[in-house]
Each structure stands twice: as C-alpha cells, then as structure tokens.
Amino acid sequence: MEIALIGIGKIAIDQHVPAIQNSPDWNLSATVSRHGTVAGVPAFHDFAQMLEERPDIRVVSLCLPPVPRFDYAAAAIRAGRHVMLEKPPGATLSECHALKAMAQAHRVSLYATWHSRQADKVLAAKAWLAEKALQKLTINWREDVRQWHPGQDWVFEAGGLGVFDPGINALSILTEILPEPVHLTGAQLHFPANREAPIAAECSFHHPRGAEVSMNLDWLEPGAPTWTIQAETDQGIMILENGGDKLTIDGEIDESVSDLTGEYPRLYAQMASLVQRGGIDMDLSPMRHVADAFTLGKRITVEPFEW
C-alpha cells in the first residue's frame, strides 16, 4: 500500500522510515515536511497539495507534534485517507474523540499508536500478571531531555506534555499489562519557572483491590536512562526494564524471542491489518491518565530550564 509520512524529524528518520521501508506491506510514496526529506521519496511542503496531487496514496502517517496534528488528521480523513497517529494521538481528549467520529463517518481507518506497547516483553508481562494478585507497582521513567529532545522547545510549550511525553509511554504499558484498570488520585508536577509544561512528576493511582501504584518521572536524569516498571504480587516480583524490552521474574530473565522484532515494525503491521479490515483503534487510556494528572496535580515551580 502507498503511504505518506508527514513530519520528517528525528523520530520519523530513526523509526518510521526504516519500519516502512523494511515492511512488505508498505511503499513510502511521499513525505510532507517544512525541512526534512527522505532520499528517493517525492517531497512536498504543503499537505493539501500532496492530498490533491497524490490520490493514489490512501494512507498517511502523522509524526507531527501533538498540537498541530488535529488539523492534518481531519484534512486527511475528509479526503478519504486512512490515518496513523504518532503518540500521543492529539493535544486533547476531545479532539481525539472528534477524529474518531470523523473516521467513522468517512469510513476510514484510524490508529492511535502507542509504540511502547509493542516492546518485546510487554505481552509476556501482561500474561504473567493476568492471574496474580498485585500488591505494589512502581514506575520509574527517568531520562535526559537534552539527549532525547535536544533544542525542541515545543515539548515545554502548552500541549507539548513536558515530561509526560516520555511518561505517556510508561502509561501505555501500564494500561496494557494490568488486568484491572487504575485511575489517578494525585500528582505533583514540577514546572520550570520559564516553561509551560512540567519537567518532573510524581503520581499516585487507585487500584480496585488496594494495591499501591505510583509513578515517578524525571527529565533531568544525569546518568543512563531508566525506564522500569516493577510489580510485586502474591506469586513473585516482575521487573520490566528498558522500556519493555527486558523482563525479569523472580530474578530469572525471560529469553523468549518474538517473530517480529521492533516497536515500529509491529505498529506498521497492525496499521496494515486495520486498513485491510476497515478497523479503528483509538484507545485513549494512557492519555486519560495524563489529563487527570494535569487536572489533579499540584503545581510546584522549580528553577528555570535552559538547553
């Protein structure tokens, strides 16, 4: 199938382009970006022009920051194109619900992707937790924003989510692996004095059976990144590390190997399946937790952040 990639930045070059080019399902037929291009692929600067001139491209993958994404997605849906959304699927829950309604009305596929759910050991962690009584779960998601978003001011602007940009990855795993849903009960959000989005956060959650569930996010980690979820249950301890790529249960590492490796190859395989069967996947549960954190969170002003 012909696909266009919209927004040629770091994540597009590092993840989306190789996933598309190595997939048997897709042909990267166009890009739309103000600055970025992909060698050998027709490049457009104007999205409307691409939609008009390339009716053969039935699918678009949006890698733009969340705030401008709605207008692009809505234009694509109105043009009868299937749409794949990088995480988070939008800047607000309301616009995500609006996109779903539009996709249903225009009978096109729409996919809110959560790449961390496709990490190698997430499904194994979900299966192990399924029959266990959870007692305590702790998320530690710590990294250096200067390494992962160098100079990208949009992540600290309103709608950019701040530290919840990586934190929502942890929440996407949490909402996938827990057999029972949790909801946020409190948060402390650390806002740099000169920024509009938090640089660190601590969150607590209600678990229906009384387990202690918490999350710590930090975007100023000076050392190696830590992307870990630890679950203590009545039948042992599970540690999911490296963003979901390593699973240890009671000290024993899971060595199983999946048929298809890589988060983004799995996302594009799932998008192909959605398009072929005319499906929509707009799970917004990770984003709902972030919205709750901004609603309930106590704002704490910390020192200004400079690149």
Side-chain angles (χ1 to χ4, degrees):
M1 291 177 282
E2 310 297 321
I3 190 170
L5 191 56
I6 318 304
I8 308 301
K10 178 175 173 55
I11 190 67
I13 295 298
D14 291 350
Q15 301 292 346
H16 289 261
V17 171
I20 294 170
Q21 292 180 333
N22 293 324
S23 169
D25 298 312
W26 301 104
N27 178 42
L28 182 55
S29 300
T31 63
V32 180
S33 178
R34 289 179 297 176
H35 308 293
T37 59
V38 176
V41 179
F44 292 81
H45 296 293
D46 184 81
F47 186 52
Q49 180 186 4
M50 189 280 293
L51 291 174
E52 181 178 355
E53 295 184 7
R54 295 297 305 270
D56 59 309
I57 298 176
R58 306 306 304 164
V59 183
V60 298
S61 179
L62 298 180
C63 303
L64 303 162
V67 170
R69 197 175 298 155
F70 175 82
D71 289 340
Y72 282 79
I77 292 170
R78 286 194 295 265
R81 314 304 168 90
H82 308 287
V83 176
M84 183 173 178
L85 301 165
E86 177 60 90
K87 66 85 185 173
T92 70
L93 287 167
S94 294
E95 68 182 35
C96 291
H97 287 298
L99 289 177
K100 182 178 180 180
M102 289 180 62
Q104 291 171 331
H106 288 268
R107 297 184 178 182
V108 296
S109 292
L110 181 65
Y111 185 20
T113 69
W114 301 105
H115 67 82
S116 289
R117 284 184 177 174
Q118 309 305 320
D120 284 343
K121 303 303 179 184
V122 169
L123 287 182
K126 179 179 181 177
W128 188 83
L129 284 171
E131 303 299 327
K132 311 296 188 300
L134 184 67
Q135 298 170 342
K136 182 178 181 180
L137 184 143
T138 304
I139 297 172
N140 279 297
W141 228 252
R142 309 170 67 87
E143 62 183 59
D144 183 357
V145 64
R146 293 182 175 91
Q147 175 182 353
W148 298 97
H149 287 282
Q152 297 178 31
D153 284 316
W154 67 265
V155 298
F156 283 114
E157 295 173 356
L161 298 189
V163 75
F164 285 97
D165 177 81
I168 206 168
N169 295 332
L171 292 169
S172 72
I173 296 175
L174 178 74
T175 51
E176 179 68 21
I177 65 176
L178 284 186
E180 298 175 296
V182 297
H183 65 263
L184 190 133
T185 56
Q188 294 191 83
L189 311 180
H190 302 259
F191 283 74
N194 61 338
R195 302 290 175 167
E196 299 170 344
I199 200 165
E202 298 88 38
C203 302
S204 57
F205 300 83
H206 171 267
H207 184 272
R209 299 187 186 276
E212 179 185 341
V213 180
S214 62
M215 178 172 71
N216 295 288
L217 308 176
D218 190 346
W219 232 354
L220 290 175
E221 172 57 50
T226 299
W227 302 308
T228 300
I229 299 176
Q230 178 169 316
E232 301 176 19
T233 77
D234 63 333
Q235 299 180 46
I237 296 176
M238 180 206 80
I239 303 176
L240 196 58
E241 299 175 89
N242 299 346
D245 281 339
K246 179 182 178 182
L247 176 63
T248 305
I249 297 173
D250 291 335
E252 183 175 343
I253 298 175
D254 184 334
E255 301 286 0
S256 60
V257 179
S258 303
D259 293 335
L260 181 62
T261 60
E263 296 174 3
Y264 283 84
R266 292 190 181 104
L267 290 179
Y268 277 95
Q270 291 184 7
M271 182 61 183
S273 177
L274 278 178
V275 172
Q276 289 163 359
R277 68 177 190 269
I280 291 176
D281 185 344
M282 280 292 284
D283 176 27
L284 301 176
S285 52
M287 197 169 171
R288 190 168 62 245
H289 288 307
V290 175
D292 289 349
F294 278 94
T295 300
L296 285 176
K298 177 182 179 181
R299 178 174 179 140
I300 300 170
T301 301
V302 296
E303 63 182 35
F305 173 81
E306 302 294 348
W307 296 105

